[in-house]
Amino acid sequence: MCGIVGYLGKRTVVPVLIDGLRYLEYRGYDSAGIAFLQNDQQAFAVYKKSGKLSNLEAILPPNVFEPNGHQLHVGIGHIRWATHGAPTDLNAHPHLGAQGDIALVHNGIIENYGEIRQQLTAQGYVFQSQTDTECVAHLLESAMAQALGAAPEIDFLETIRRAFSQLRGAYALTIANRKFPDRLYVVRNHAPLVIGVGDQEYMVASDSVAVSSVVDRVVYLKDREIAEISPQGIRLMTLDGVLLEPRVDVLQSGPLLIDKKGFKHFMLKEIYEQPDVLRNSLSGRLLSADHPVQLFDESDSVMERLLTAKRLLIIGCGTSYNAGLVGKYFIEEVARIPVQVEAAGEFRYRKPVLDADTLVVAISQSGETADTLEAIRLAQLQGAATLVLTNREDSTMARETDAVLSVRAGVEVSVCATKSFLAQVVVLYLLGLFLAERRQTLSPEALTELKSGLVRLPIALEALLSDTEPIQALAKKYGHARDVLFIARGVNYPVALEGALKLKEISYIHAEGYSGSELKHGPIAMLDESIPVVSVLVPGPVFDKMLSNCQEAKAREARVIGIIASNAPPESLSEEIRQVFEDVVIIPAVEELLSPLLTTVPLQLVAYYMAEYLGKDVDQPRNLAKSVTVE
Ligand code: M6R
């Protein structure tokens, strides 16, 4: 969370910083700020503003965007997701040291900031903000003053390195020093940071997408690494002082165009991209129902672990966790291997039983979620092989794991995950089919049927998306509900959880997802005419059970809404079904085991249209950030 950028080069620095921050708005949007030195300025120019990046842009004087000569310019920028201190102008980054020598931006948490703050206050430092970050600026100025007291010239990288031995926590920082105006300094420990390398220019950021329009190469910093960036190059070392040779990689993707393509919100655009996302995720992996699933090279080291694993443990957070639950239903059924699913934040703080027979499958859109990353590291320490399903092949998780499967959803801008969920689920399905083929746990006919069902799904999804009027009508009718229940069973039970998560996240309406079977074990007590119960019904082994659960809800006067997969139009539904549901949305008929790839989408749309109807900030819901890099 929080996004940081830094630039050293001859371009006009402010537009570079602002463009970089625009790519990072998904990481937080409580406040934004920049600090820069240009045209031989003696002091940092600093602009900070609470709220979104556009608020900061509104206070910038026009001349900072004008070309300003060919000297070297240095600047840093930040977009904040508040941890310590409210999202005010004062708490916004960058933070400056007391003398104004040092300006820095920070992503993460300095855990012992209270202690450091006390020490510095005792030395006479006065704090302007409530952040943990400001103590680092004062600490570095204090360390620099001490170093300069002992010698006329100092190595500021070394000064930073020593000062950081006092700090605990997770952090990525970019630091500028007006006494060294041709340099930038960076430190990384448990928060992402990359150094973009161009032609006599450098751009630093929390995510390589933010540097891709300026540079074409990149150095991915590792934890506990620190660097000085100057026209002479990158001086890289560990926080223990071991010098390293920076490894420069070519950026895989060029500059990204972030465009709503005529949709009102990114979320809606991303929902509509899902048929193509499915095609893309299947492409080259499932050529047709007659071909075996291709996921890995035969020589890939993960192959053996996959084929010999006695169980799979899926870990993830939020929506990625829900995708893992769908994966469990599918993989256990088709590949007959035990699959456990656990929230990464819980897994990492207990003493799990893992061994070389367990394959850990971590799911993460961003590939940077702190809890999932630490869970992977824990699993590796315990001897388990790890496979990461991610949308970001250049992420920390992808670099640290034994094997990667890209989910290929394309850039997802809206904080609310939609197309990445579908892409994760389809890749889990491919993994299940791959295992079923290799382990010969399904008949060839059953395999062919599932594979042809998958190949047909993008078309069914297009049909579903071609008429969303009934869902829009639902959103208006129930938009003022205080609570909403989502129920489903079997492989669609995780879809109910995901539907509730979407609604909470963007409309702030209280919502819960339950298995229909669990209603009578407690939640049914809440039901009355004020609570809409959105229920997902797909013909298959649990259809009749779900219908009974809906009847039980209706008998308590709840308003039951049916999302029903059927080839028949609503008017031809049986009398029994029609009298249970106050409203019905028909979606294309689909094989039950594959149905989450369709049933999820109306629930995404319900959440979207409800939030939109209520006038909420759909793409950037309050209090959230897309990439959760703090625990
Ligand atoms: O990047 P990740 O998939 O690891 O992110 C995990 C969750 O933070 C994420 O899915 C979150 O729940 C979404 N905002 C939900 O829409």
Side-chain angles (χ1 to χ4, degrees):
M1 313 173 108
C2 297
I4 60 184
V5 293
Y7 177 75
L8 180 71
K10 293 183 178 170
R11 299 185 196 222
T12 309
V13 67
V14 174
V16 175
L17 296 176
I18 296 293
D19 283 350
L21 290 178
R22 196 164 288 124
Y23 282 105
L24 298 181
E25 264 204 297
Y26 73 86
R27 301 183 69 86
Y29 30 81
D30 288 347
S31 59
I34 54 173
F36 54 94
L37 288 171
Q38 63 182 17
N39 289 343
D40 297 326
Q41 278 162 340
Q42 298 303 303
F44 284 107
V46 183
Y47 297 90
K48 318 204 279 190
K49 196 71 199 148
S50 62
K52 294 192 182 194
L53 183 61
S54 51
N55 293 7
L56 172 68
E57 288 179 273
I59 61 160
L60 293 173
N63 65 344
V64 299
F65 288 94
E66 287 161 13
N68 49 13
H70 291 291
Q71 296 119 313
L72 208 56
H73 305 303
V74 68
I76 57 178
H78 189 266
I79 192 105
R80 182 165 185 246
W81 184 85
T83 58
H84 296 64
T88 59
D89 292 356
L90 259 186
N91 288 334
H93 301 210
H95 289 285
L96 267 61
Q99 306 299 320
D101 287 337
I102 286 165
L104 54 81
V105 286
H106 166 218
N107 166 27
I109 293 173
I110 306 295
E111 283 166 4
N112 59 336
Y113 85 101
E115 219 174 277
I116 307 276
R117 188 172 169 133
Q118 255 179 9
Q119 285 164 20
L120 290 163
T121 307
Q123 288 172 34
Y125 284 90
V126 178
F127 282 75
Q128 311 288 332
S129 76
Q130 290 117 28
T131 64
D132 52 337
T133 306
E134 192 185 349
C135 77
V136 186
H138 295 319
L139 181 72
L140 289 179
E141 277 201 2
S142 156
M144 185 165 79
Q146 273 177 31
L148 280 170
E153 287 198 359
I154 60 162
D155 176 350
F156 188 55
L157 183 65
E158 192 53 26
T159 309
I160 299 176
R161 191 183 73 74
R162 292 204 177 141
F164 267 77
S165 64
Q166 297 176 56
L167 300 177
R168 282 200 317 271
Y171 45 76
L173 288 102
T174 301
I175 303 159
N177 185 335
R178 69 173 167 161
K179 296 216 154 62
F180 301 98
D182 60 347
R183 281 149 215 228
L184 261 182
Y185 298 86
V186 289
V187 196
R188 171 187 168 145
N189 189 34
H190 295 284
L193 198 60
V194 300
I195 305 174
V197 182
D199 190 12
Q200 297 184 7
E201 62 181 345
Y202 296 92
M203 184 164 182
V204 171
S206 304
D207 182 333
S208 61
V209 291
V211 304
S212 58
S213 52
V214 176
V215 299
D216 54 5
R217 282 155 293 152
V218 75
V219 174
Y220 294 102
L221 286 184
K222 297 202 180 98
D223 285 341
R224 296 188 53 74
E225 285 184 354
I226 175 170
E228 177 185 69
I229 305 162
S230 73
Q232 286 72 48
I234 299 172
R235 189 152 66 100
L236 178 69
M237 60 173 74
T238 66
L239 277 171
D240 301 316
V242 179
L243 268 175
L244 303 165
E245 192 56 43
R247 183 187 136 160
V248 183
D249 287 317
V250 174
L251 261 180
Q252 291 307 317
S253 49
L256 285 170
L257 192 63
I258 296 200
D259 180 9
K260 291 194 193 127
K261 294 205 175 129
F263 287 92
K264 186 166 178 193
H265 294 100
F266 282 107
M267 179 176 171
L268 193 60
K269 170 184 158 257
E270 288 159 4
I271 289 174
Y272 272 86
E273 282 171 352
Q274 292 179 115
D276 283 339
V277 167
L278 288 184
R279 289 189 182 97
N280 207 20
S281 300
L282 294 173
S283 158
R285 293 166 166 169
L286 182 58
L287 297 177
S288 76
D290 310 323
H291 283 79
V293 174
Q294 306 265 317
L295 282 182
F296 306 97
D297 281 345
E298 290 302 319
S299 59
D300 206 316
S301 63
V302 81
M303 280 290 278
E304 200 198 322
R305 300 294 285 266
L306 254 177
L307 299 177
T308 55
K310 296 213 167 59
R311 68 170 181 141
L312 302 188
L313 170 63
I314 301 182
I315 49 175
C317 299
T319 285
S320 296
Y321 168 80
N322 289 341
L325 288 175
V326 179
K328 173 188 165 76
Y329 276 87
F330 186 81
I331 297 170
E332 282 201 347
E333 178 152 346
V334 302
R336 311 308 300 150
I337 178 170
V339 182
Q340 184 191 341
V341 187
E342 190 164 346
E346 287 304 316
F347 172 80
R348 64 176 286 202
Y349 283 114
R350 59 183 194 86
K351 294 197 170 59
V353 182
L354 294 179
D355 53 28
D357 290 335
T358 310
L359 178 75
V360 172
V361 180
I363 308 179
S364 173
Q365 188 284 129
S366 62
E368 300 292 349
T369 300
D371 282 330
T372 313
L373 183 58
E374 288 308 321
I376 292 171
R377 290 172 176 163
L378 174 67
Q380 287 176 332
L381 275 179
Q382 300 209 359
T386 58
L387 167 66
V388 164
L389 268 59
T390 182
N391 202 25
R392 294 296 305 271
E393 283 178 272
D394 62 344
S395 60
T396 308
M397 283 182 213
R399 290 198 302 278
E400 292 196 9
T401 183
D402 300 311
V404 182
L405 277 176
S406 169
V407 303
R408 304 183 189 159
V411 175
E412 190 174 63
V413 175
S414 187
V415 165
C416 189
T418 53
K419 62 176 181 168
S420 61
F421 174 83
L422 234 62
Q424 290 165 347
V425 170
V426 81
V427 172
L428 286 164
Y429 279 17
L430 288 173
L431 184 62
L433 291 174
F434 172 84
L435 291 170
E437 269 169 353
R438 300 293 176 124
R439 291 171 177 245
Q440 301 185 334
T441 46
L442 269 190
S443 69
E445 297 72 34
L447 268 171
T448 307
E449 199 175 317
L450 283 171
K451 287 199 268 182
S452 21
L454 267 188
V455 174
R456 285 195 303 269
L457 259 163
I459 294 172
L461 189 47
E462 273 163 354
L464 189 159
L465 287 168
S466 67
D467 177 17
T468 62
E469 280 296 322
I471 298 175
Q472 297 189 42
L474 282 185
K476 287 201 185 100
K477 182 167 172 187
Y478 298 102
H480 290 291
R482 211 190 54 187
D483 311 279
V484 178
L485 276 192
F486 288 83
I487 58 169
R489 293 187 75 157
V491 70
N492 279 296
Y493 161 55
V495 172
L497 299 180
E498 178 62 5
L501 175 60
K502 297 297 88 159
L503 188 65
K504 283 187 262 218
E505 184 176 7
I506 59 170
S507 72
Y508 321 143
I509 294 172
H510 171 241
E512 297 296 338
Y514 277 99
S515 156
S517 67
E518 280 291 308
L519 264 193
K520 54 190 160 302
H521 297 291
I524 203 164
M526 289 164 48
L527 294 186
D528 61 23
E529 69 290 344
S530 72
I531 301 193
V533 178
V534 181
S535 34
V536 176
L537 291 97
V538 178
V542 289
F543 185 91
D544 291 342
K545 311 281 167 213
M546 264 305 292
L547 201 54
S548 306
N549 299 145
C550 293
Q551 258 151 349
E552 288 154 13
K554 159 104 177 149
R556 274 76 191 179
E557 297 190 350
R559 304 160 82 186
V560 189
I561 300 152
I563 309 286
I564 303 178
S566 165
N567 276 333
E571 50 284 5
S572 61
L573 291 173
S574 72
E575 186 51 35
E576 186 201 2
I577 294 186
R578 274 193 286 162
Q579 57 87 14
V580 175
F581 297 103
E582 176 156 339
D583 293 283
V584 167
V585 173
I586 299 288
I587 62 167
V590 57
E591 152 72 38
E592 195 222 23
L593 208 45
L594 303 178
S595 62
L597 291 168
L598 279 195
T599 52
T600 306
V601 179
L603 304 194
Q604 295 170 343
L605 287 164
V606 165
Y608 172 79
Y609 282 114
M610 273 193 170
E612 208 251 328
Y613 173 66
L614 295 172
K616 303 296 184 210
D617 190 344
V618 172
D619 285 330
Q620 295 183 329
R622 70 183 183 202
N623 306 338
L624 288 176
K626 191 155 186 72
S627 183
V628 184
T629 54
V630 294
E631 45 170 311

